[in-house]
Amino acid sequence: FALIGVTVSKFGFSSLLSLGKLVLLVYLALAFFLIVIFGIVGKLAGINIFKFLAYLKDELLLAYSTSSSETVLPRVMEKMEKIGCPKGIVSFVIPIGYTFNLDGSVLYQAIAALFLAQVYGIDLSIGQQLTLILVLMVTSKGMAAVPGTSFVVLLATLGTIGVPAEGLAFIAGVDRIMDMARTVVNLTGNALAAVVMSKWEGEYDAIKGQTVLNQREPADMKISG
């Protein structure tokens, strides 16, 4: 709230409209990636993305509210084992994915960088935009899964397209709102990666997975009962 107050005091109330459009665009892009791209990947792996999201709804809600996927790491690993992924793959893929598989963060950073370029009237060619995406894919590796990390990485990347780092102050007030959404995408991508890798290695229990996803009661209730 304080950061938004500073933004309004420096740039005026009209800035809220631009920031609102940025937040809306980020959410729409992340939703498209979550449903369409992950949906296609899930389809290839024999997973219905909507049932998969419903299965992880508690963890996704907690990650969304805290803007940190670290808070649900043990629960996600436990649930992926219950869905048919072997422990050996889950214990390797998900923790390493928390550092190297941050789809939502990269998508947000690309949109935010282009937004700031437009704010400063910098016209980026297609080549520069592709370069920006490649740079972000590299610089996003090694990020901690804690709130605000993407903001720091974006700060270090803006110089590659000639955007002044001071421009980040303009979007600082709404960064946490977007951080919540990109955390959900990051978490879903890591969980889905465990299924894909398990199937790739021929160790995924598809029958067990479909049984858990199609059951009406939560997995914990079924198992404990």
Side-chain angles (χ1 to χ4, degrees), residues 3-190:
L3 288 171
I4 292 177
V6 172
T7 301
V8 172
S9 66
K10 291 180 64 176
F11 302 101
F13 281 101
S14 60
S15 62
L16 293 180
L17 179 60
S18 298
L19 290 175
K21 291 180 180 178
L22 172 63
V23 172
L24 179 61
L25 177 60
V26 169
Y27 268 74
L28 289 176
L30 291 174
F32 176 85
F33 194 87
L34 184 68
I35 296 174
V36 179
I37 305 301
F38 283 165
I40 294 173
V41 175
K43 185 72 174 178
L44 295 175
I47 294 290
N48 183 297
I49 190 63
F50 295 104
K51 292 181 179 179
F52 189 71
L53 293 174
Y55 177 65
L56 295 173
K57 65 180 185 302
D58 293 336
E59 290 72 27
L60 293 176
L61 285 173
L62 182 57
Y64 180 81
S65 59
T66 60
S67 296
S68 173
S69 51
E70 293 281 4
T71 56
V72 293
L73 176 59
R75 289 178 57 89
V76 171
M77 293 179 65
E78 181 182 358
K79 277 199 167 183
M80 296 319 296
E81 290 180 35
K82 291 177 181 177
I83 206 177
C85 300
K87 184 175 182 179
I89 291 180
V90 170
S91 60
F92 176 78
V93 172
I94 293 184
I96 201 171
Y98 267 50
T99 301
F100 293 99
N101 183 32
L102 303 171
D103 307 312
S105 296
V106 175
L107 188 58
Y108 154 74
Q109 291 168 357
I111 295 174
L114 292 176
F115 173 80
L116 291 175
Q118 291 180 347
V119 169
Y120 283 96
I122 300 175
D123 187 19
L124 299 177
S125 64
I126 296 298
Q128 289 176 309
Q129 294 180 39
L130 293 176
T131 301
L132 172 65
I133 294 175
L134 292 175
V135 171
L136 288 173
M137 290 177 65
V138 174
T139 56
S140 65
K141 308 306 178 186
M143 284 197 310
V146 295
T149 313
S150 296
F151 200 68
V152 177
V153 174
L154 184 59
L155 175 64
T157 309
L158 289 178
T160 61
I161 57 174
V163 176
E166 294 78 8
L168 281 175
F170 184 62
I171 63 174
V174 294
D175 178 71
R176 184 57 181 263
I177 299 174
M178 296 181 287
D179 196 4
M180 296 162 70
R182 62 181 180 252
T183 300
V184 170
V185 176
N186 290 340
L187 179 59
T188 305
N190 290 324

